[in-house]
Amino acid sequence: MDKKLEQIIELDKKYYLNTFGARTPVCFERGEGIYLYDTAGERYTDFFAGIAVNALGHGNPVVVNAIKEQAEKLIHCSNLYYNEPQAKLAELICENSCADKVFFANSGAEANEGAMKLARIYYKKKYGKDTKKNTFICLNKSFHGRTITTATATGQDKYKLPYAPLTPGFKHVDINDIAQLENAVDETVCGIILEPVQGESGVYPLTQEYAKRARELCDEKDMLLIFDEVQTGIGRTGRLFGYEYLGIEPDIFTLAKALGGGVPIGCLCAKGDVTRGFDPGDHGTTFGGNPLACAAGYASLKTIIDQRLWENAEKMGNIITNNIYGIYDNSAVREVRHAGLMVAIELSIPYAAEVKKELFEQKFLVGSVGDSILRVLPPLIITEQDCWDFRNAFKLAVRKVSTYAYKKD
Ligand SMILES: Cc1ncc(COP(=O)(O)O)c(C=O)c1O
């Protein structure tokens, strides 16, 4: 380990309130395209993209220049004044999606909080402040963020039970089970919150049939369909937005991760009547949508749209999946699930952490979920050669891990 890294780790251990466990022992200083460079100058191929953030890779010149130019002019000013980058990014999102209006936040969790607030206040204004129409149906295994309310919406006990008492008004059903969804609907439900593809729990897409039924139920029973597109948005699934992949439109959807090219930004997008839910003073933010974040967002989104990068995501996702299935003697892989470049490789051995570590030894960065799932979320700019390089690294990593895994067993 180089001296600089040693010093950083020492400072981190002493001063950083660690919620991330034993971090991988590396510190990146620089990035270019799909590569990251550590304190020793070693190059890594980034197939995790900051958990689906760096859609354009690192150091994209259009994004970097937009940030530089905006930083020199104005980094922040209050939302009490008009803001050109904010207005332009709002227009770009609305002109390229089903949204009529947007509101900017700083993160995915915050955008989701805004979406839930909008749904509740919309029905209070529609039916009176004492309306019982204020509960949400969410999915088991979903992930919506780390605030108390988004953790409550999240369908995984480990993220919320330590923080009880939780926010009232949430119930959970299984993904793609239409009967369960229908049974959960009653007159108290104001919204159904869905990720088009569940990401954090290991890449589980909604079926088109399920999404269509959810849309119908919302129309029939006067509920709002809310899509959490924090991870699926901006090209990741092989469409610009995940709802396009499912062939229906939500009333509200949220964005974050890839929107800012790495600069923190979240966005609540609303369509039709629900845009009238918030009146001045009902919601707000200090930083959300500031000039710097919106200039970065505009440059990133415009580049992704101009280059139609979702098409590359679709193509490369298919190549990665076929390559992994194509490895001879592939008994270590149970299944590959993917939507565009949201890929999960489910191993048949509970050694995902070990395979991830072996890939790291080969200077490939990926993520893992639980014991047996590898999460692969490369930048949307990868080439066919990058997919082959990943396949070869994966094959070697699995071979190594299988050797000692079977010895251990
Ligand atoms: C679908 C989804 N929603 C919400 C979040 C929370 O976003 P943030 O970490 O920016 O608050 C995430 C983060 O992984 C996510 O994947």
Side-chain angles (χ1 to χ4, degrees):
M1 186 180 296
D2 64 286
K3 198 91 206 126
K4 190 167 182 185
L5 179 59
E6 251 174 50
Q7 284 166 356
I8 293 164
I9 291 177
E10 205 180 303
L11 286 180
D12 180 275
K13 287 207 183 324
K14 193 161 169 202
Y15 295 113
Y16 184 72
L17 209 165
N18 178 13
T19 66
F20 294 98
R23 300 196 206 208
T24 308
V26 66
C27 176
F28 296 113
E29 286 193 324
R30 192 168 66 80
E32 203 180 316
I34 65 163
Y35 302 113
L36 282 165
Y37 296 83
D38 73 5
T39 41
E42 293 278 353
R43 190 181 88 167
Y44 294 75
T45 306
D46 186 2
F47 260 44
F48 203 37
I51 323 186
V53 167
N54 304 100
L56 292 167
H58 304 277
N60 178 281
V62 178
V63 178
V64 171
N65 284 335
I67 293 171
K68 271 190 193 160
E69 278 174 25
Q70 188 58 47
E72 277 169 9
K73 284 198 283 187
L74 181 67
I75 294 176
H76 178 80
C77 68
S78 164
N79 275 314
L80 296 174
Y81 313 110
Y82 289 100
N83 170 343
E84 188 187 5
Q86 186 182 87
K88 282 178 65 184
L89 179 58
E91 180 195 29
L92 189 65
I93 295 171
C94 293
E95 291 303 316
N96 285 280
S97 75
C98 65
D100 294 316
K101 296 220 168 166
V102 304
F103 181 86
F104 294 108
N106 306 286
S107 67
E110 209 189 321
N112 286 339
E113 285 267 353
M116 291 184 266
K117 284 176 75 178
L118 178 60
R120 280 191 173 166
I121 203 166
Y122 170 71
Y123 283 113
K124 283 196 197 325
K125 287 181 181 170
K126 189 164 177 182
Y127 296 120
K129 68 176 177 26
D130 294 327
T131 181
K132 301 245 172 333
K133 207 169 179 62
N134 55 30
T135 66
F136 294 98
I137 299 174
C138 307
L139 294 186
N140 292 320
K141 292 190 174 170
S142 58
F143 186 82
H144 300 294
R146 301 279 197 157
T147 62
I148 296 263
T149 300
T150 55
T152 307
T154 292
Q156 302 181 61
D157 286 348
K158 65 182 180 193
Y159 293 122
K160 57 182 156 184
L161 293 190
Y163 301 101
L166 302 171
T167 309
F170 289 83
K171 47 185 160 182
H172 292 80
V173 295
D174 290 338
I175 188 171
N176 293 333
D177 185 327
I178 289 178
Q180 267 193 42
L181 180 65
E182 288 171 344
N183 287 335
V185 173
D186 60 29
E187 67 289 349
T188 71
V189 177
C190 68
I192 300 176
I193 304 176
L194 305 169
E195 290 163 87
V197 181
Q198 289 186 338
E200 195 270 350
S201 60
V203 185
Y204 298 97
L206 296 185
T207 61
Q208 289 191 346
E209 189 196 4
Y210 186 82
K212 189 167 160 268
R213 185 65 190 128
R215 178 68 272 171
E216 281 167 8
L217 282 169
C218 286
D219 294 339
E220 286 163 16
K221 308 280 181 187
D222 189 15
M223 305 176 296
L224 297 170
L225 186 59
I226 302 171
F227 271 12
D228 177 344
E229 295 244 19
V230 165
Q231 193 166 148
T232 53
I234 327 287
R236 176 65 48 190
T237 63
R239 302 285 186 278
L240 183 53
F241 299 103
Y243 67 79
E244 296 171 59
Y245 177 81
L246 293 165
I248 48 134
E249 291 184 354
D251 302 293
I252 299 175
F253 64 97
T254 54
L255 303 170
K257 289 189 182 282
L259 181 58
V263 175
I265 187 168
C267 186
L268 148 63
C269 310
K271 175 184 164 213
D273 202 34
V274 72
T275 57
R276 289 203 280 272
F278 281 148
D279 286 308
D282 284 340
H283 191 48
T285 168
T286 300
F287 289 118
N290 86 3
L292 188 74
C294 288
Y298 185 88
S300 306
L301 181 58
K302 184 86 173 55
T303 306
I304 289 169
I305 291 171
D306 288 350
Q307 296 184 9
R308 301 179 66 83
L309 278 177
W310 55 90
E311 291 175 357
N312 195 53
E314 165 106 323
K315 208 163 135 198
M316 295 304 132
N318 286 331
I319 292 174
I320 291 178
T321 305
N322 293 337
N323 280 355
I324 298 296
Y325 278 129
I327 295 174
Y328 62 87
D329 182 22
N330 208 351
S331 53
V333 174
R334 175 173 299 153
E335 187 185 20
V336 186
R337 291 182 293 277
H338 85 112
L341 277 174
M342 233 172 138
V343 184
I345 304 173
E346 183 150 354
L347 305 173
S348 40
I349 46 172
Y351 286 97
E354 287 79 358
V355 173
K356 183 170 80 171
K357 195 157 172 263
E358 283 297 341
L359 280 166
F360 179 75
E361 294 301 321
Q362 294 180 59
K363 309 264 180 291
F364 256 98
L365 305 175
V366 298
S368 63
V369 184
D371 290 342
S372 55
I373 301 174
L374 281 183
R375 246 174 118 190
V376 182
L377 296 164
L380 308 185
I381 55 169
I382 58 167
T383 63
E384 198 168 337
Q385 183 59 49
D386 302 324
C387 298
W388 279 102
D389 292 345
F390 173 71
R391 176 244 188 224
N392 294 339
F394 174 79
K395 187 176 166 189
L396 187 61
V398 164
R399 193 189 302 143
K400 278 196 182 162
V401 171
S402 303
T403 320
Y404 67 72
Y406 290 126
K407 250 191 228 152
K408 247 205 252 175
D409 296 345

